[in-house]
Amino acid sequence: MHWTLVIPLKPLARAKSRLSDTAGDEVRPGLALAFAQDTVSAALACPAVSDVVVVTDDALAGRELAALGARIVPDAPASGLNAALAHGAATVREMRPGAAVAALNADLPALRPLELSRVLSAAAEFPRAFLADAAALGTTLLAATPDQELRPAFGTDSRARHRTSGARELDLTEVDSVRQDVDTGEDLRAALALGVGRHTAAASAGLLIPGA
């Protein structure tokens, strides 16, 4: 099965506010873009992925991610993360009604294509499935096979909410790069330890990250 990934990205000026202890206001937008660039690059290199759709209203991010090969969809609902994901999935299904669709976080700078392929292969066994994040509270990927609605419930405690919604939690090991999203300085340190893509490596160079 091949998948279309839907990746949401808020305007860069408002992204990654929880990194304020690690990066100043002038640095965070560039970090958020770098995370997304490395996420999209790895996703497009994944053998299980046919294409990547990024839902964003940020003009710079749209240009940079389109240059990597992503298709850009404006955030027409402008009503938050889950509305953006539902809109992206609906846009994909309008063009290809039988598409398998997965929502993926935009802040996975250590993402490995083969690890993502393992996750998507496991997800194909269930109508809807999700992968918990490294903190075991949130979600980094939610997948829906053809003819299944995505029904995203990202946000606080999304692991519990996706489980309650009937999605199957994927119990996989050795897919750390797909779990390691970045919201805090500690998260960034963990991603750097896994090994990040070239955009994040460049954007984070010179930051004083304790323990990195």
Side-chain angles (χ1 to χ4, degrees), residues 37 47 139 150:
Q37 287 172 303
T139 305
L150 189 61

Side-chain angles (χ1 to χ4, degrees), residues 16-190:
K16 297 300 156 194
S17 60
R18 291 172 61 193
L19 277 171
S20 59
D21 62 340
T22 301
D25 292 346
E26 73 286 356
V27 176
R28 287 198 304 277
L31 278 174
L33 176 57
F35 298 163
Q37 287 172 303
D38 287 330
T39 301
V40 167
S41 295
L44 287 168
C46 174
V49 173
S50 58
D51 61 336
V52 172
V53 170
V54 176
V55 182
T56 188
D57 281 336
D58 192 286
L60 173 61
R63 289 194 302 271
E64 294 295 330
L65 299 175
L68 294 175
R71 183 152 48 96
I72 308 304
V73 171
D75 183 6
S79 297
L81 175 60
N82 291 308
L85 286 169
H87 172 62
T91 300
V92 171
R93 292 268 174 83
E94 284 173 6
M95 294 183 292
R96 285 183 285 114
V101 177
L104 184 71
N105 287 8
D107 57 352
L108 298 167
L111 186 63
R112 301 285 187 270
L114 292 182
E115 291 186 16
L116 176 59
S117 187
R118 284 190 61 218
V119 174
L120 292 172
S121 178
E125 300 298 317
F126 307 99
R128 291 172 64 246
F130 72 96
L131 186 74
D133 64 10
L137 295 173
T139 305
T140 57
L141 180 143
L142 172 70
T145 53
D147 302 320
Q148 294 291 323
E149 290 186 27
L150 189 61
R151 294 167 55 201
F154 285 80
T156 304
D157 295 327
S158 65
R159 179 188 184 188
R161 287 190 284 131
H162 282 135
R163 189 189 296 123
T164 299
S165 78
R168 180 67 170 263
E169 181 170 0
L170 299 174
D171 183 16
L172 298 174
T173 59
E174 299 183 1
V175 292
D176 291 348
S177 77
V178 196
R179 296 185 187 274
Q180 189 56 67
D181 55 355
V182 176
D183 289 315
T184 66
E186 183 178 353
D187 295 335
L188 180 54
R189 183 166 63 250

